[in-house]
Amino acid sequence: MSKAEIIDGKRAAERLRAEIGRQVVRLREQHLVTPGLAVILVGEDPASQVYVRNKARQAREAAMASFEYRLPHGVPQENLLELIERLNQDPAVHGILVQLPLPPQVDTDRVINAIRPDKDIDGFHPVNVGALATGGDGTVPCTPLGCLMLLKHRLGDLAGLRAVVLGRSNIVGKPMAALLLRESCTVTIAHSRTRELAEDCRRADILVAAVGRPRMVPGEWIKPGATVIDVGINRIETADGKGRLVGDVDFDSVTAVAGATTPVPGGVGPMTIACLLLNTLVAACRQHGLPAPEGIMETAWE
Ligand code: NDP
């Protein structure tokens, strides 16, 4: 029997996007700046195409300028680096996003490092990674930022809570752990070599699952009343051949024990794109010496 609160990330993201849109319109009406997002897609991966289309569409819906660049799968690395350099110099572009993964002839680190740190709205550049680690003022990666907003919505002050982050990737697990530490949680990072995964998870007031394994976390790993954030997006086979998306946690057994959990789809995913727009808005303000809109994150929950 399900008893956990289902955290509605779709609705929270809609509210956040609406507020971002209002702020962008205000900046435009005052002739201060039109925030601009450039998205680069290399190759024809179907999932990446959907992500890029959604990001560009939602940027336009938030009244931002949106620039899309599609390069063939076999594009030489130098061409991609030249495009990034051009966008680094372009005053109409405040945020640059290169959709990952990239094809094998391209060195992903080299590409990330080529983006000007103040235009790196994914927060993957070492300057921004360093800022997050040392408490500086950088750009925070979108997925962990979205997860943090959902957690703060549900729990308010996170200080002193025991958090377990399942997964240690550079784009989700590590920045998530750094953010939770910044919120004064007691943080454990678990991964494929962790010895007592179930026991570690069972101690968590907050569990963030980002492993990429369908329904890996069962209800018996969950502390009663815990808040569970499911980052995983996994496509599984179904009898009708259409397939469907599931998360990294086993939704039915986890909702019977947890206090709250995010669904897949409709949880973390929509927040990721909303946070991308938020990072673009803040980047545009910073590049024009304007104050970033205050309290904008909280508007998602009013
Ligand atoms: P990665 O594959 O880069 O990282 C997975 C992590 O999980 C690794 O640290 C790995 O450990 C760990 N892991 C794998 N198997 C196990 C296991 N059996 N037990 C414990 N730990 C394990 O994935 P990402 O971080 O990029 O993504 C994770 C999931 O989140 C995916 O499903 C992805 O699709 C989804 N995602 C969703 C987003 C959204 O917007 N909702 C955005 C980004 C990702 P080790 O390091 O030891 O190998």
Side-chain angles (χ1 to χ4, degrees), residues 183-202:
E183 296 293 325
S184 298
C185 290
T186 301
V187 184
T188 301
I189 307 175
H191 45 78
S192 67
R193 307 294 297 273
T194 298
R195 292 204 175 143
E196 296 176 333
L197 202 49
E199 287 77 3
D200 284 334
C201 289
R202 244 177 252 127

Side-chain angles (χ1 to χ4, degrees), residues 258-279:
T261 186
T262 56
V264 176
V268 174
M271 287 301 288
T272 295
I273 303 190
C275 287
L276 181 73
L277 302 182
L278 178 64
N279 283 350

Side-chain angles (χ1 to χ4, degrees), residues 143 167-169 171 191-192 210-213 216 231-234 272:
T143 299
R168 56 173 165 178
S169 72
I171 63 169
H191 45 78
S192 67
V211 274
R213 298 195 179 264
M216 191 188 107
V231 182
I233 303 178
N234 310 289
T272 295

